[in-house]
Amino acid sequence: KFVADAPNPVSLKQITSKDYDVKMVAEVISEYINIWYEKLQSGHFNEIDSAYFNHLFRANEWALFSKQGEIFEAKIIGIGEFGQLILEDKNGTISKNMFKEVEFVI
């Protein structure tokens, strides 16, 4: 049961139908956060960027997007220095899009 006003809350139990030890899950997540934080402190920016991009939904795949009510086909080719989603459309035009400027069309 969720008490917050989150729009679409979900739990590991709902996804996997398994019970989890909350303390153990928190410890594992904490370990991973520390590992990636150490990489950040050590200046391993390319490794962080690469791992992030490799886990992006539909990275390097043609998909439909919407921007200001206009639908177009493009693929995610990168992430900008300030978190912009870098898209390349079918004409080869590259655009950098800030958070919520574009969205997937399902």
Side-chain angles (χ1 to χ4, degrees):
K1 295 183 179 183
F2 298 97
V3 294
D5 290 338
N8 296 309
V10 67
S11 69
L12 288 173
K13 184 170 184 167
Q14 287 174 313
I15 295 170
T16 66
S17 299
K18 297 178 183 177
D19 290 320
Y20 291 87
D21 177 332
V22 175
K23 186 175 180 179
M24 185 211 51
V25 171
E27 288 174 3
V28 170
I29 290 171
S30 179
E31 288 175 24
Y32 277 100
I33 290 171
N34 284 330
I35 289 168
W36 286 101
Y37 183 66
E38 288 174 12
K39 290 177 189 288
L40 181 64
Q41 285 183 311
S42 300
H44 293 113
F45 306 122
N46 289 336
E47 181 181 356
I48 295 167
D49 289 347
S50 178
Y52 179 78
F53 181 78
N54 289 332
H55 287 87
L56 276 178
F57 179 65
R58 292 189 179 161
N60 281 320
E61 295 178 18
W62 292 106
L64 293 178
F65 292 86
S66 174
K67 183 174 185 175
Q68 298 176 337
E70 190 173 317
I71 295 175
F72 61 98
E73 191 171 10
K75 63 181 173 180
I76 302 169
I77 60 168
I79 301 297
E81 179 181 0
F82 301 106
Q84 310 96 318
L85 193 64
I86 302 174
L87 300 176
E88 179 180 3
D89 68 17
K90 288 283 191 171
N91 298 321
T93 303
I94 295 174
S95 64
K96 291 183 178 181
N97 303 274
M98 294 303 291
F99 183 67
K100 292 197 175 189
E101 278 189 315
V102 295
E103 60 184 35
F104 284 114
V105 175
I106 298 174

